[in-house]
Amino acid sequence: MKIERIVQESPTIKRFRFIPTEDELLPAFTGGAHLKTFLQADDELFERDYSLISDPRNRQFYEIAISKDSNSRGGSKYWHEQIVEGDELEISFPRNYFTLNVHAKHHVFYASGIGITPFLSMLQDNQFNQTMELHYAARTPEECAFYEVLKDKYSDIITFHFSRVTEPNRLSYEHMKTNRIGSHVYFCGPVSMVEEFQDAAFSYGYPEHAIHFELFSNGLDNSNLKAFTVSLTESGKEIQVSDKESLLDVLLREGINAPYACKIGGCGSCEVEVLNGEVEHRDHFLSEDNKQERKTILTCCSRAKEENLTIKL
């Protein structure tokens, strides 16, 4: 793909448009989908997932939006400071773990900051003519990415929640109390916000199938991790996982064909069966009941409670 256009949407967010390097239509996708980008910078490969924000019906180009993270591990900083129009890169096919539920009577989106991105394609992909509403939190209108477009195009279904203005209108999970029966709720933003809204939705009686979320980071504290050993029954290997890396990182480095997608414990793609040992679950995908009942591990973030673990891989 080639970077055709770069637009500064807010002081910290840029929009990037890709077009194919050959004259062909791009694969179709649905609202809420994301793709993986691959950027080679000297000796380092930046492999990152970003939500597609363009119209799913338009197969001429893809668009993503990236926030420059002050705690960046290099990816967002490289996108903002090094990438220019005309650069080329490789991308994956679109994937979607954050889809619009076709059985919902009403969709209610709750976004904070860069968490607006998956909802931009969802708003354009209402193929079942279901009703929608969006609640979008930012500090000020000036720092609110896509403010003018959303205000002009979706003024009848969007409520902005600004926290640093003369009369603040902060986003609160209590809004979910008044959603009509049959509503599905969708959350995207910082981990703390998503967890807070998710817990509130359960406490208000929303069924699990009506609660949807997507994360851009796992928000985990990795400062006191312990090393452990993993035995692989399918390949017959035994690997060592240090306190500085994930089980998935080691599996991939060892050439094991391990499944994965988001790498932050939000999608469940890397889940594998555990045959022996206890798991320290650190993901946001499995419910508490799942963690108790299923003998599995999400290799991208969860770890062994003790020194040894045996998995079917």
Side-chain angles (χ1 to χ4, degrees):
M1 303 288 281
K2 182 173 73 173
I3 306 292
E4 182 191 43
R5 182 184 303 173
I6 301 175
V7 178
Q8 190 80 46
E9 293 290 348
S10 79
T12 60
I13 295 175
K14 282 185 176 181
R15 171 165 54 96
F16 299 84
R17 175 177 291 185
F18 312 149
I19 58 173
T21 53
E22 298 180 6
D23 187 19
E24 58 185 17
L25 291 177
L26 294 168
F29 68 94
T30 53
H34 69 276
L35 51 77
K36 192 178 294 291
T37 63
F38 304 90
L39 284 176
Q40 188 69 49
D42 298 324
D43 295 330
E44 186 169 7
L45 176 66
F46 292 120
E47 179 183 323
R48 299 290 188 270
D49 293 298
Y50 298 107
S51 295
L52 283 157
I53 66 171
S54 46
D55 189 335
R57 295 165 296 187
N58 190 330
R59 298 176 61 191
Q60 303 295 325
F61 60 83
Y62 289 154
E63 287 188 330
I64 62 173
I66 301 175
S67 175
K68 187 176 183 180
D69 187 353
S70 58
N71 298 313
S72 171
R73 292 175 291 125
S76 69
K77 182 178 180 182
Y78 191 86
W79 273 98
H80 273 254
E81 297 180 2
Q82 303 297 325
I83 295 298
V84 297
E85 293 176 355
D87 283 350
E88 295 184 5
L89 76 156
E90 291 186 4
I91 65 170
S92 71
F93 284 93
R95 298 176 178 176
N96 201 342
Y97 305 111
F98 194 45
T99 58
L100 288 167
N101 189 287
V102 298
H103 303 294
K105 302 298 183 185
H106 181 57
H107 302 290
V108 190
F109 308 139
Y110 297 93
S112 178
I114 193 62
I116 187 62
T117 51
F119 299 129
L120 295 174
S121 61
M122 286 180 169
L123 288 168
Q124 301 174 84
D125 190 31
N126 190 13
Q127 55 185 307
F128 301 104
N129 295 316
Q130 296 159 303
T131 55
M132 300 177 168
E133 64 180 280
L134 169 65
H135 295 265
Y136 182 13
R139 291 191 292 188
T140 65
E142 292 74 25
E143 297 176 79
C144 182
F146 309 101
Y147 175 65
E148 293 297 336
V149 171
L150 289 169
K151 185 177 65 171
D152 293 343
K153 193 172 182 180
Y154 302 106
S155 60
D156 56 333
I157 62 170
I158 186 170
T159 302
F160 293 101
H161 299 264
F162 299 123
S163 59
R164 296 190 181 180
V165 292
T166 304
E167 297 182 3
N169 175 30
R170 295 181 181 275
L171 179 62
S172 170
Y173 56 74
E174 292 189 357
H175 174 271
M176 289 188 289
K177 289 180 179 179
T178 60
N179 288 334
R180 66 176 186 257
I181 293 174
S183 294
H184 280 230
V185 290
Y186 303 74
F187 318 128
C188 192
V191 173
S192 57
M193 171 260 185
V194 171
E195 291 182 336
E196 185 179 47
F197 274 67
Q198 187 180 21
D199 290 344
F202 279 119
S203 72
Y204 295 152
Y206 284 81
E208 185 174 352
H209 69 266
I211 301 172
H212 315 272
F213 66 92
E214 184 166 73
L215 298 169
F216 295 135
S217 69
N218 57 31
L220 297 174
D221 179 5
N222 295 321
S223 58
N224 294 304
L225 301 180
K226 295 180 180 180
F228 59 99
T229 301
V230 180
S231 298
L232 312 177
T233 59
E234 298 292 313
S235 60
K237 288 189 174 184
E238 184 175 276
I239 61 175
Q240 306 297 321
V241 182
S242 75
D243 60 349
K244 298 292 192 297
E245 55 194 347
S246 71
L247 171 54
L248 177 61
D249 288 337
V250 180
L251 290 170
L252 296 177
R253 189 175 69 236
E254 291 292 324
I256 303 299
N257 186 24
Y260 73 95
C262 75
K263 288 189 174 183
I264 59 171
C267 71
S269 297
C270 65
E271 185 178 16
V272 298
E273 184 179 352
V274 174
L275 301 177
N276 188 44
E278 290 191 56
V279 176
E280 178 190 347
H281 292 286
R282 293 160 54 84
D283 63 88
H284 303 279
F285 176 77
L286 297 174
S287 68
E288 290 305 315
D289 288 342
N290 288 158
K291 291 174 183 178
Q292 296 297 321
E293 297 169 1
R294 285 156 64 168
K295 290 285 291 182
T296 61
I297 183 172
L298 267 64
T299 62
C300 71
C301 60
S302 295
R303 306 179 70 81
K305 276 190 177 180
E306 306 298 335
E307 294 181 359
N308 297 286
L309 202 66
T310 303
I311 63 175
K312 188 177 180 181
L313 200 62

Short mmCIF file of all heavy atoms in Angstrom, two decimals, residues 123-170:
data_model
loop_
_atom_site.label_atom_id
_atom_site.label_comp_id
_atom_site.label_asym_id
_atom_site.label_seq_id
_atom_site.Cartn_x
_atom_site.Cartn_y
_atom_site.Cartn_z
N LEU A 123 -20.63 3.70 12.15
CA LEU A 123 -21.67 4.67 11.80
C LEU A 123 -21.99 4.64 10.31
O LEU A 123 -23.11 4.94 9.91
CB LEU A 123 -21.23 6.08 12.21
CG LEU A 123 -21.21 6.38 13.71
CD1 LEU A 123 -20.47 7.70 13.98
CD2 LEU A 123 -22.61 6.44 14.28
N GLN A 124 -21.00 4.28 9.50
CA GLN A 124 -21.19 4.24 8.05
C GLN A 124 -21.63 2.87 7.53
O GLN A 124 -21.86 2.70 6.34
CB GLN A 124 -19.87 4.63 7.35
CG GLN A 124 -19.38 6.02 7.73
CD GLN A 124 -18.00 6.30 7.15
OE1 GLN A 124 -17.89 6.72 5.99
NE2 GLN A 124 -16.96 6.08 7.93
N ASP A 125 -21.77 1.92 8.45
CA ASP A 125 -22.04 0.54 8.04
C ASP A 125 -23.36 0.03 8.61
O ASP A 125 -23.49 -1.15 8.93
CB ASP A 125 -20.90 -0.37 8.52
CG ASP A 125 -20.99 -1.77 7.92
OD1 ASP A 125 -21.48 -1.90 6.78
OD2 ASP A 125 -20.59 -2.73 8.60
N ASN A 126 -24.34 0.90 8.71
CA ASN A 126 -25.62 0.50 9.30
C ASN A 126 -26.49 -0.18 8.24
O ASN A 126 -27.54 0.32 7.86
CB ASN A 126 -26.33 1.72 9.89
CG ASN A 126 -27.53 1.33 10.72
OD1 ASN A 126 -27.71 0.17 11.07
ND2 ASN A 126 -28.35 2.30 11.05
N GLN A 127 -26.03 -1.35 7.78
CA GLN A 127 -26.72 -2.03 6.68
C GLN A 127 -28.06 -2.62 7.07
O GLN A 127 -28.89 -2.94 6.22
CB GLN A 127 -25.81 -3.13 6.12
CG GLN A 127 -25.32 -4.13 7.14
CD GLN A 127 -24.33 -5.11 6.57
OE1 GLN A 127 -24.61 -5.74 5.57
NE2 GLN A 127 -23.17 -5.24 7.19
N PHE A 128 -28.31 -2.78 8.39
CA PHE A 128 -29.57 -3.35 8.84
C PHE A 128 -30.56 -2.28 9.31
O PHE A 128 -31.60 -2.58 9.87
CB PHE A 128 -29.32 -4.36 9.96
CG PHE A 128 -28.41 -5.48 9.54
CD1 PHE A 128 -27.09 -5.51 9.96
CD2 PHE A 128 -28.87 -6.49 8.71
CE1 PHE A 128 -26.24 -6.54 9.56
CE2 PHE A 128 -28.03 -7.52 8.31
CZ PHE A 128 -26.71 -7.54 8.73
N ASN A 129 -30.18 -1.00 9.09
CA ASN A 129 -31.04 0.13 9.44
C ASN A 129 -31.47 0.12 10.90
O ASN A 129 -32.59 0.48 11.25
CB ASN A 129 -32.29 0.15 8.53
CG ASN A 129 -31.94 0.41 7.08
OD1 ASN A 129 -31.11 1.27 6.78
ND2 ASN A 129 -32.53 -0.35 6.18
N GLN A 130 -30.54 -0.29 11.78
CA GLN A 130 -30.81 -0.23 13.21
C GLN A 130 -30.49 1.18 13.72
O GLN A 130 -29.69 1.90 13.14
CB GLN A 130 -29.94 -1.26 13.95
CG GLN A 130 -30.25 -2.70 13.58
CD GLN A 130 -29.10 -3.63 13.89
OE1 GLN A 130 -27.99 -3.44 13.42
NE2 GLN A 130 -29.37 -4.64 14.70
N THR A 131 -31.14 1.58 14.80
CA THR A 131 -30.89 2.91 15.35
C THR A 131 -29.59 2.91 16.16
O THR A 131 -29.19 1.90 16.74
CB THR A 131 -32.05 3.35 16.25
OG1 THR A 131 -32.27 2.36 17.28
CG2 THR A 131 -33.32 3.53 15.44
N MET A 132 -28.93 4.07 16.18
CA MET A 132 -27.64 4.23 16.83
C MET A 132 -27.58 5.54 17.58
O MET A 132 -28.29 6.49 17.24
CB MET A 132 -26.50 4.21 15.81
CG MET A 132 -26.36 2.98 14.97
SD MET A 132 -25.01 3.20 13.77
CE MET A 132 -24.81 1.52 13.17
N GLU A 133 -26.70 5.59 18.58
CA GLU A 133 -26.35 6.87 19.19
C GLU A 133 -24.91 6.78 19.67
O GLU A 133 -24.41 5.70 20.00
CB GLU A 133 -27.28 7.24 20.33
CG GLU A 133 -27.26 6.31 21.52
CD GLU A 133 -28.22 6.77 22.62
OE1 GLU A 133 -27.86 7.68 23.37
OE2 GLU A 133 -29.32 6.18 22.71
N LEU A 134 -24.22 7.92 19.69
CA LEU A 134 -22.81 7.97 20.04
C LEU A 134 -22.58 8.99 21.15
O LEU A 134 -23.06 10.12 21.07
CB LEU A 134 -21.98 8.35 18.81
CG LEU A 134 -20.50 8.72 19.03
CD1 LEU A 134 -19.71 7.51 19.55
CD2 LEU A 134 -19.88 9.23 17.72
N HIS A 135 -21.80 8.60 22.16
CA HIS A 135 -21.36 9.49 23.23
C HIS A 135 -19.83 9.53 23.17
O HIS A 135 -19.18 8.49 23.31
CB HIS A 135 -21.85 8.99 24.59
CG HIS A 135 -23.34 9.03 24.71
ND1 HIS A 135 -24.02 10.09 25.28
CD2 HIS A 135 -24.29 8.15 24.30
CE1 HIS A 135 -25.32 9.85 25.23
NE2 HIS A 135 -25.50 8.69 24.63
N TYR A 136 -19.30 10.72 22.97
CA TYR A 136 -17.88 10.88 22.67
C TYR A 136 -17.25 11.86 23.65
O TYR A 136 -17.63 13.03 23.71
CB TYR A 136 -17.74 11.36 21.23
CG TYR A 136 -16.34 11.54 20.70
CD1 TYR A 136 -15.22 11.04 21.34
CD2 TYR A 136 -16.14 12.23 19.49
CE1 TYR A 136 -13.95 11.22 20.82
CE2 TYR A 136 -14.88 12.39 18.95
CZ TYR A 136 -13.78 11.89 19.64
OH TYR A 136 -12.52 12.07 19.11
N ALA A 137 -16.27 11.37 24.42
CA ALA A 137 -15.61 12.19 25.44
C ALA A 137 -14.25 12.69 24.96
O ALA A 137 -13.45 11.94 24.40
CB ALA A 137 -15.44 11.38 26.72
N ALA A 138 -14.01 13.97 25.19
CA ALA A 138 -12.71 14.58 24.90
C ALA A 138 -12.55 15.75 25.88
O ALA A 138 -13.50 16.14 26.57
CB ALA A 138 -12.63 15.06 23.46
N ARG A 139 -11.36 16.31 25.93
CA ARG A 139 -11.14 17.41 26.87
C ARG A 139 -11.79 18.71 26.38
O ARG A 139 -12.46 19.40 27.14
CB ARG A 139 -9.65 17.60 27.12
CG ARG A 139 -9.05 16.43 27.89
CD ARG A 139 -7.65 16.71 28.37
NE ARG A 139 -6.70 16.79 27.26
CZ ARG A 139 -5.39 16.89 27.42
NH1 ARG A 139 -4.86 16.91 28.63
NH2 ARG A 139 -4.58 16.94 26.38
N THR A 140 -11.59 19.03 25.11
CA THR A 140 -12.16 20.25 24.54
C THR A 140 -12.54 19.98 23.09
O THR A 140 -12.07 19.00 22.48
CB THR A 140 -11.12 21.41 24.55
OG1 THR A 140 -10.03 21.06 23.67
CG2 THR A 140 -10.59 21.67 25.95
N PRO A 141 -13.36 20.84 22.48
CA PRO A 141 -13.67 20.67 21.05
C PRO A 141 -12.42 20.71 20.17
O PRO A 141 -12.34 19.99 19.17
CB PRO A 141 -14.60 21.85 20.75
CG PRO A 141 -15.24 22.16 22.06
CD PRO A 141 -14.16 21.91 23.09
N GLU A 142 -11.44 21.53 20.55
CA GLU A 142 -10.21 21.65 19.76
C GLU A 142 -9.39 20.36 19.79
O GLU A 142 -8.66 20.06 18.84
CB GLU A 142 -9.36 22.81 20.29
CG GLU A 142 -9.95 24.20 20.08
CD GLU A 142 -11.12 24.49 21.03
OE1 GLU A 142 -11.18 23.88 22.12
OE2 GLU A 142 -11.97 25.33 20.66
N GLU A 143 -9.50 19.60 20.89
CA GLU A 143 -8.75 18.35 21.01
C GLU A 143 -9.59 17.14 20.61
O GLU A 143 -9.14 16.00 20.76
CB GLU A 143 -8.25 18.18 22.44
CG GLU A 143 -7.28 19.25 22.88
CD GLU A 143 -6.88 19.10 24.34
OE1 GLU A 143 -6.02 18.25 24.63
OE2 GLU A 143 -7.43 19.82 25.18
N CYS A 144 -10.76 17.38 20.09
CA CYS A 144 -11.70 16.32 19.73
C CYS A 144 -11.53 15.99 18.25
O CYS A 144 -11.97 16.76 17.38
CB CYS A 144 -13.13 16.77 20.03
SG CYS A 144 -14.38 15.54 19.70
N ALA A 145 -10.91 14.87 17.96
CA ALA A 145 -10.70 14.48 16.56
C ALA A 145 -12.02 14.24 15.86
O ALA A 145 -12.95 13.68 16.44
CB ALA A 145 -9.83 13.22 16.50
N PHE A 146 -12.12 14.69 14.62
CA PHE A 146 -13.30 14.52 13.76
C PHE A 146 -14.52 15.28 14.29
O PHE A 146 -15.66 14.96 13.95
CB PHE A 146 -13.65 13.03 13.59
CG PHE A 146 -12.48 12.19 13.17
CD1 PHE A 146 -11.78 11.42 14.09
CD2 PHE A 146 -12.06 12.18 11.84
CE1 PHE A 146 -10.69 10.65 13.69
CE2 PHE A 146 -10.97 11.42 11.44
CZ PHE A 146 -10.29 10.66 12.37
N TYR A 147 -14.28 16.28 15.10
CA TYR A 147 -15.39 17.02 15.73
C TYR A 147 -16.33 17.63 14.71
O TYR A 147 -17.56 17.44 14.77
CB TYR A 147 -14.82 18.11 16.65
CG TYR A 147 -15.86 19.01 17.26
CD1 TYR A 147 -16.81 18.51 18.15
CD2 TYR A 147 -15.90 20.38 16.95
CE1 TYR A 147 -17.77 19.34 18.72
CE2 TYR A 147 -16.85 21.21 17.52
CZ TYR A 147 -17.78 20.69 18.40
OH TYR A 147 -18.73 21.50 18.95
N GLU A 148 -15.80 18.36 13.74
CA GLU A 148 -16.65 19.06 12.77
C GLU A 148 -17.43 18.07 11.90
O GLU A 148 -18.62 18.26 11.64
CB GLU A 148 -15.80 19.98 11.89
CG GLU A 148 -15.18 21.15 12.64
CD GLU A 148 -16.22 22.11 13.22
OE1 GLU A 148 -17.36 22.14 12.68
OE2 GLU A 148 -15.91 22.81 14.20
N VAL A 149 -16.77 17.01 11.46
CA VAL A 149 -17.44 16.01 10.61
C VAL A 149 -18.57 15.34 11.36
O VAL A 149 -19.69 15.20 10.85
CB VAL A 149 -16.43 14.95 10.13
CG1 VAL A 149 -17.15 13.80 9.43
CG2 VAL A 149 -15.40 15.57 9.19
N LEU A 150 -18.30 14.93 12.58
CA LEU A 150 -19.33 14.25 13.38
C LEU A 150 -20.48 15.18 13.70
O LEU A 150 -21.65 14.79 13.64
CB LEU A 150 -18.71 13.71 14.67
CG LEU A 150 -17.76 12.52 14.51
CD1 LEU A 150 -17.01 12.25 15.80
CD2 LEU A 150 -18.53 11.28 14.07
N LYS A 151 -20.16 16.41 14.03
CA LYS A 151 -21.20 17.40 14.37
C LYS A 151 -22.10 17.68 13.17
O LYS A 151 -23.32 17.77 13.31
CB LYS A 151 -20.54 18.70 14.85
CG LYS A 151 -21.54 19.74 15.35
CD LYS A 151 -20.82 20.98 15.88
CE LYS A 151 -20.08 21.70 14.78
NZ LYS A 151 -19.55 23.02 15.21
N ASP A 152 -21.50 17.77 12.00
CA ASP A 152 -22.29 18.08 10.80
C ASP A 152 -23.10 16.88 10.30
O ASP A 152 -24.24 17.03 9.88
CB ASP A 152 -21.36 18.57 9.68
CG ASP A 152 -20.73 19.91 10.00
OD1 ASP A 152 -21.24 20.60 10.90
OD2 ASP A 152 -19.72 20.26 9.35
N LYS A 153 -22.49 15.70 10.34
CA LYS A 153 -23.10 14.53 9.73
C LYS A 153 -24.02 13.75 10.66
O LYS A 153 -24.99 13.14 10.22
CB LYS A 153 -22.00 13.60 9.20
CG LYS A 153 -22.50 12.52 8.26
CD LYS A 153 -21.33 11.77 7.64
CE LYS A 153 -21.79 10.70 6.66
NZ LYS A 153 -20.66 9.97 6.04
N TYR A 154 -23.72 13.78 11.97
CA TYR A 154 -24.47 12.95 12.92
C TYR A 154 -25.01 13.74 14.10
O TYR A 154 -25.12 13.23 15.21
CB TYR A 154 -23.57 11.82 13.43
CG TYR A 154 -23.01 10.93 12.36
CD1 TYR A 154 -21.67 11.02 11.98
CD2 TYR A 154 -23.82 10.00 11.70
CE1 TYR A 154 -21.15 10.21 10.99
CE2 TYR A 154 -23.31 9.19 10.69
CZ TYR A 154 -21.97 9.29 10.35
OH TYR A 154 -21.46 8.48 9.36
N SER A 155 -25.34 14.99 13.87
CA SER A 155 -25.78 15.86 14.97
C SER A 155 -27.00 15.33 15.71
O SER A 155 -27.19 15.61 16.89
CB SER A 155 -26.09 17.26 14.43
OG SER A 155 -27.13 17.20 13.46
N ASP A 156 -27.84 14.52 15.01
CA ASP A 156 -29.06 14.04 15.63
C ASP A 156 -28.84 12.83 16.54
O ASP A 156 -29.73 12.47 17.33
CB ASP A 156 -30.10 13.68 14.57
CG ASP A 156 -29.58 12.67 13.55
OD1 ASP A 156 -28.35 12.62 13.33
OD2 ASP A 156 -30.39 11.93 12.97
N ILE A 157 -27.66 12.19 16.46
CA ILE A 157 -27.44 10.99 17.27
C ILE A 157 -26.18 11.06 18.14
O ILE A 157 -25.86 10.10 18.84
CB ILE A 157 -27.34 9.71 16.39
CG1 ILE A 157 -26.15 9.81 15.42
CG2 ILE A 157 -28.64 9.49 15.62
CD1 ILE A 157 -25.85 8.50 14.70
N ILE A 158 -25.47 12.18 18.11
CA ILE A 158 -24.22 12.27 18.87
C ILE A 158 -24.32 13.27 20.01
O ILE A 158 -24.95 14.34 19.87
CB ILE A 158 -23.03 12.62 17.96
CG1 ILE A 158 -21.71 12.57 18.73
CG2 ILE A 158 -23.20 13.99 17.33
CD1 ILE A 158 -20.49 12.66 17.85
N THR A 159 -23.71 12.92 21.14
CA THR A 159 -23.57 13.83 22.27
C THR A 159 -22.08 13.92 22.60
O THR A 159 -21.43 12.89 22.83
CB THR A 159 -24.33 13.33 23.51
OG1 THR A 159 -25.71 13.17 23.19
CG2 THR A 159 -24.18 14.30 24.67
N PHE A 160 -21.55 15.12 22.59
CA PHE A 160 -20.15 15.34 22.96
C PHE A 160 -20.06 15.58 24.46
O PHE A 160 -20.90 16.28 25.04
CB PHE A 160 -19.56 16.53 22.20
CG PHE A 160 -19.44 16.31 20.71
CD1 PHE A 160 -20.38 16.84 19.84
CD2 PHE A 160 -18.39 15.57 20.19
CE1 PHE A 160 -20.29 16.65 18.47
CE2 PHE A 160 -18.29 15.36 18.82
CZ PHE A 160 -19.23 15.90 17.96
N HIS A 161 -19.02 15.04 25.06
CA HIS A 161 -18.81 15.20 26.50
C HIS A 161 -17.42 15.80 26.70
O HIS A 161 -16.40 15.11 26.58
CB HIS A 161 -18.91 13.84 27.20
CG HIS A 161 -20.24 13.18 27.07
ND1 HIS A 161 -21.22 13.29 28.03
CD2 HIS A 161 -20.76 12.41 26.07
CE1 HIS A 161 -22.29 12.61 27.64
NE2 HIS A 161 -22.04 12.07 26.45
N PHE A 162 -17.38 17.11 26.98
CA PHE A 162 -16.11 17.81 27.16
C PHE A 162 -15.86 18.06 28.64
O PHE A 162 -16.73 18.56 29.36
CB PHE A 162 -16.12 19.12 26.39
CG PHE A 162 -16.30 18.94 24.90
CD1 PHE A 162 -17.35 19.56 24.23
CD2 PHE A 162 -15.43 18.14 24.17
CE1 PHE A 162 -17.52 19.39 22.87
CE2 PHE A 162 -15.60 17.95 22.81
CZ PHE A 162 -16.65 18.58 22.15
N SER A 163 -14.64 17.74 29.08
CA SER A 163 -14.32 17.83 30.52
C SER A 163 -13.58 19.11 30.89
O SER A 163 -13.56 19.48 32.07
CB SER A 163 -13.47 16.62 30.92
OG SER A 163 -12.27 16.56 30.17
N ARG A 164 -12.97 19.80 29.93
CA ARG A 164 -12.20 21.00 30.24
C ARG A 164 -12.74 22.21 29.49
O ARG A 164 -12.05 22.86 28.71
CB ARG A 164 -10.72 20.78 29.92
CG ARG A 164 -10.09 19.68 30.78
CD ARG A 164 -8.60 19.62 30.65
NE ARG A 164 -8.02 18.56 31.46
CZ ARG A 164 -6.73 18.28 31.53
NH1 ARG A 164 -5.86 19.00 30.82
NH2 ARG A 164 -6.29 17.29 32.28
N VAL A 165 -14.00 22.48 29.74
CA VAL A 165 -14.67 23.66 29.18
C VAL A 165 -15.37 24.38 30.33
O VAL A 165 -15.39 23.91 31.47
CB VAL A 165 -15.69 23.24 28.10
CG1 VAL A 165 -14.98 22.68 26.87
CG2 VAL A 165 -16.70 22.23 28.64
N THR A 166 -15.95 25.52 30.03
CA THR A 166 -16.58 26.33 31.08
C THR A 166 -17.68 25.57 31.80
O THR A 166 -17.80 25.63 33.03
CB THR A 166 -17.16 27.62 30.47
OG1 THR A 166 -16.11 28.33 29.78
CG2 THR A 166 -17.72 28.52 31.57
N GLU A 167 -18.49 24.84 31.03
CA GLU A 167 -19.54 24.03 31.63
C GLU A 167 -19.32 22.56 31.23
O GLU A 167 -19.86 22.09 30.24
CB GLU A 167 -20.92 24.51 31.16
CG GLU A 167 -21.23 25.94 31.58
CD GLU A 167 -22.61 26.39 31.14
OE1 GLU A 167 -23.34 25.56 30.55
OE2 GLU A 167 -22.96 27.55 31.37
N PRO A 168 -18.53 21.84 32.03
CA PRO A 168 -18.19 20.45 31.68
C PRO A 168 -19.42 19.55 31.61
O PRO A 168 -20.38 19.72 32.35
CB PRO A 168 -17.26 20.02 32.83
CG PRO A 168 -16.77 21.30 33.43
CD PRO A 168 -17.89 22.28 33.28
N ASN A 169 -19.36 18.61 30.67
CA ASN A 169 -20.41 17.60 30.51
C ASN A 169 -19.73 16.25 30.42
O ASN A 169 -19.58 15.67 29.36
CB ASN A 169 -21.23 17.88 29.24
CG ASN A 169 -22.25 16.79 28.97
OD1 ASN A 169 -22.75 16.15 29.88
ND2 ASN A 169 -22.54 16.55 27.69
N ARG A 170 -19.26 15.76 31.55
CA ARG A 170 -18.44 14.55 31.57
C ARG A 170 -19.24 13.31 31.20
O ARG A 170 -20.41 13.19 31.53
CB ARG A 170 -17.80 14.36 32.95
CG ARG A 170 -16.81 15.46 33.32
CD ARG A 170 -16.20 15.22 34.69
NE ARG A 170 -15.27 16.28 35.04
CZ ARG A 170 -13.99 16.32 34.69
NH1 ARG A 170 -13.49 15.32 33.94
NH2 ARG A 170 -13.21 17.31 35.04
#
